[in-house]
Amino acid sequence: MEKRPFVTLEQVKEIAKTYPTPFHLYDERGIRENARRVMKAFSWNPGFKEYFAVKATPNPVILQILKEEGCGVDCATDVELMMAKACGFAGREIMFSSNVTPAKDFQYARQIDATINLDDISHIDFLQQVASVPETVSCRFNPGGLFTISNTIMDKPADAKYGFTRQQLTEGFVKLQKLGVKHFGLHSFLASNTVTNEYYPTLARLLFQTAVELHQETGAHISFINLSGGVGVAYRPDQEPVDILQVGEGVRRAYEEVLVPAGMGDVAIFTEMGRFMLAPYGCLVAQVLHMKHTYKDYVGLDACAANLMRPAMYGAYHHITVLGKENAPCCHKYDVTGGLCENNDKFAIDRMLPQIERGDYLVIHDTGAHGFSMGYNYNGKLRSAELLLREDGSVQLIRRAETPQDYFATLDVTGLF
């Protein structure tokens, strides 16, 4: 199976006349169609809301598209909250899920009436001290131990810094009720980038059972359960992508089997997907600057880890297409690299690709989430532009490329230019 880019060589050549490579390019049609599939998958739940994780792709134009498709936003800092507010999201359209939270972040979240998702039991007193406790509060649950699906270990929650223990949830709910909280949410994130249809249903069943217990123990009204993120995408061409319709059906079955018999059939289901919503609908487009032949064959791009950190940071796989050579045999082995002074600045290692020449354009797939947003300025590298391929085929600049002036803006460099 081969991944096909949503942009052609001819389109890239035309785009590059105005916007030089490297650049991140997003597919509006794909984003909208995927958002509608998610809404359809959970349409059985009247209160369903997808809160897109802003950290994945913090661009106002992308957020506006998702808003038009019925999504809210999940924010982790006051700056992300500010962006959400500027994009027109308000009140219950904003979920604030943070950890090691500064006072100013809680204060701003309260100011704009975002739904606060507390990460730790000590944050109850802290929130009361620095701001105020609202009538609706969510708490993040960490069950500890190992999280398994069909005897496969997916992750080890006990090693994660996030969330309340089970005992702390009961204590926290009781304390929050005394402080005037009337409506509760329950939230958990137990595994990242899962490509099984069973993750959400398994997590949902755990959260549903916990919600029933908490309601019975404390009498608290649980108004929503947030499955958070963790639904992954098929980065590799041989992976089977998640079927979100099947996922939604699995969550529905767990809902009917656990919550409804307990008299909790009014609970709204929330999700906070970033990767699933955006990753396949963005790519990094780069041009080959140099070919190097030493102990290995190297393809040197005008992009680097400053544009896409995941391969250098995690050893993550991102598929690569050489535009114009989509049907050529992959008969050459290359390391595909950037120009940072770090040997881990590689997009691919020992990757079989068609024969590559200077000037070729490469598409690095699935960078629509956690791509541009993780960028940085090591070596004085400047972050690239972000472009949107609109449904009508036109291209819109949605973030200009950085300039040296941007890089020096926070320094006292009077007279440098």
Side-chain angles (χ1 to χ4, degrees):
M1 186 185 297
E2 180 63 30
K3 281 178 174 280
R4 292 287 178 175
F6 58 80
V7 66
T8 65
L9 177 60
E10 292 70 24
Q11 286 175 299
V12 164
K13 285 182 175 179
E14 190 62 31
I15 295 168
K17 292 177 182 177
T18 305
Y19 307 110
T21 56
F23 52 75
H24 283 271
L25 182 67
Y26 304 97
D27 176 20
E28 180 184 12
R29 184 184 304 277
I31 294 169
R32 290 188 183 277
E33 289 177 350
N34 190 52
R36 291 167 191 172
R37 279 193 295 272
V38 169
M39 298 302 172
K40 181 179 179 181
F42 291 92
S43 60
W44 53 267
N45 183 262
F48 173 74
K49 191 82 170 176
E50 157 59 24
Y51 288 85
F52 174 72
V54 173
K55 64 180 178 286
T57 320
N59 188 290
V61 176
I62 299 297
L63 299 184
Q64 289 282 4
I65 289 171
L66 293 170
K67 189 175 192 299
E68 291 170 9
E69 297 299 334
C71 298
V73 283
D74 168 57
C75 302
T77 63
D78 60 343
V79 173
E80 289 185 351
L81 289 168
M82 291 172 194
M83 182 180 289
K85 183 175 183 292
C87 290
F89 294 94
R92 294 297 175 257
E93 294 177 316
I94 306 172
M95 186 72 60
F96 180 56
S97 299
S98 66
N99 65 95
V100 195
T101 310
K104 63 182 178 63
D105 291 27
F106 274 139
Q107 289 162 355
Y108 190 71
R110 289 295 293 121
Q111 180 183 326
I112 65 173
D113 197 30
T115 298
I116 292 175
N117 182 36
L118 295 174
D119 180 65
D120 183 68
I121 192 168
S122 69
H123 291 185
I124 297 173
D125 287 338
F126 186 67
L127 176 62
Q128 184 186 23
Q129 291 165 8
V130 303
S132 61
V133 177
E135 289 190 353
T136 298
V137 172
S138 178
C139 295
R140 185 168 184 167
F141 176 40
N142 184 332
L146 298 174
F147 179 66
T148 61
I149 297 177
S150 301
N151 298 319
T152 300
I153 297 174
M154 305 298 292
D155 215 326
K156 190 176 180 182
D159 285 345
K161 65 177 182 175
Y162 309 108
F164 290 57
T165 67
R166 177 62 186 84
Q167 181 180 347
Q168 287 174 340
L169 278 181
T170 300
E171 295 173 10
F173 272 42
V174 170
K175 188 167 192 174
L176 286 164
Q177 284 177 303
K178 291 177 180 177
L179 292 173
V181 175
K182 297 178 180 177
H183 309 288
F184 287 83
L186 189 61
H187 171 289
S188 193
F189 176 90
L190 298 186
S192 179
N193 192 34
T194 60
V195 286
T196 168
N197 294 332
E198 296 307 311
Y199 171 62
Y200 258 3
T202 304
L203 172 62
R205 192 173 294 274
L206 170 66
L207 285 176
F208 295 165
Q209 291 167 344
T210 304
V212 170
E213 293 170 5
L214 287 167
H215 174 65
Q216 292 172 344
E217 291 168 4
T218 69
H221 173 242
I222 297 175
S223 60
F224 65 85
I225 291 175
N226 191 332
L227 303 178
S228 188
V231 179
V233 299
Y235 285 104
R236 296 178 179 272
D238 58 351
Q239 286 180 303
E240 191 70 27
V242 170
D243 182 345
I244 198 65
L245 297 179
Q246 185 174 330
V247 169
E249 174 59 20
V251 175
R252 186 198 65 78
R253 286 197 299 269
Y255 190 99
E256 295 291 337
E257 293 169 9
V258 180
L259 289 180
V260 172
M264 298 173 65
D266 62 338
V267 173
I269 300 300
F270 296 165
T271 57
E272 290 173 354
M273 294 183 285
R275 192 187 315 271
F276 184 81
M277 297 297 290
L278 254 294
Y281 312 106
C283 63
L284 176 60
V285 180
Q287 191 170 27
V288 178
L289 289 182
H290 298 287
M291 301 295 298
K292 180 173 181 172
H293 307 286
T294 53
Y295 305 104
K296 302 180 78 171
D297 290 338
Y298 295 95
V299 178
L301 303 183
D302 56 5
C304 65
N307 306 109
L308 178 64
M309 188 192 291
R310 296 186 72 254
M313 187 175 185
Y314 305 121
Y317 180 95
H318 281 265
H319 199 64
I320 296 174
T321 294
V322 184
L323 290 178
K325 301 180 181 180
E326 290 87 348
N327 299 317
C330 294
C331 54
H332 289 68
K333 184 186 292 185
Y334 297 108
D335 279 14
V336 181
T337 78
L340 293 185
C341 298
E342 294 289 342
N343 198 44
N344 68 347
D345 182 21
K346 297 179 179 180
F347 296 109
I349 298 174
D350 294 333
R351 185 73 59 87
M352 297 303 297
L353 293 165
Q355 183 171 352
I356 295 176
E357 302 165 271
R358 283 187 60 203
D360 279 347
Y361 288 99
L362 272 59
V363 163
I364 302 176
H365 292 252
D366 302 315
T367 69
H370 311 292
F372 179 94
S373 65
M374 294 177 73
Y376 57 111
N377 289 123
Y378 184 63
N379 271 168
K381 288 290 188 179
L382 303 176
R383 282 171 285 209
S384 67
E386 290 183 291
L387 310 175
L388 180 67
L389 179 62
R390 310 253 24 169
E391 289 185 288
D392 63 5
S394 63
V395 173
Q396 178 184 352
L397 178 69
I398 60 174
R399 189 193 302 266
R400 66 165 174 81
E402 287 183 333
T403 66
Q405 288 88 345
D406 296 322
Y407 181 78
F408 293 118
T410 56
L411 301 172
D412 183 4
V413 288
T414 304
L416 183 63
F417 299 102

